[in-house]
Amino acid sequence: MRAWTNVTTGAGEEIVCVQVEDGDPFAVLALGRHTVALTRDECRRIADALRAASHRRPPWV
């Protein structure tokens, strides 16, 4: 099984892409032209931070 997701601009330019294969200890995170291999623990920590940020209320509301 392969899990992946990406985020693009309105013009279709890819901003963020994450890919992981079953059994592979690393996930590949691409930000624009830069790519990094993350451990599963690093992925969980980043996901937790993004989840917390998504639940915050903007100060202007």
Side-chain angles (χ1 to χ4, degrees), residues 23-41:
D24 191 346
F26 297 98
V28 176
L29 171 66
L31 297 169
R33 297 181 189 182
H34 303 284
T35 304
V36 64
L38 300 169
T39 65
R40 300 293 173 119
D41 185 55

Side-chain angles (χ1 to χ4, degrees), residues 1 5-6 8 10 27 33 37 41 46 50 52 60:
M1 181 177 137
T5 189
N6 62 0
T8 58
R33 297 181 189 182
D41 185 55
I46 290 169
L50 289 171
W60 59 85

Side-chain angles (χ1 to χ4, degrees), residues 14-59:
E14 190 172 87
I15 300 171
V16 177
C17 179
V18 180
Q19 298 180 9
V20 64
E21 300 280 346
D22 268 355
D24 191 346
F26 297 98
V28 176
L29 171 66
L31 297 169
R33 297 181 189 182
H34 303 284
T35 304
V36 64
L38 300 169
T39 65
R40 300 293 173 119
D41 185 55
E42 291 167 331
C43 290
R44 280 188 286 275
R45 291 184 356 228
I46 290 169
D48 289 346
L50 289 171
R51 193 173 299 108
S54 73
H55 292 292
R56 293 189 64 199
R57 235 178 103 161

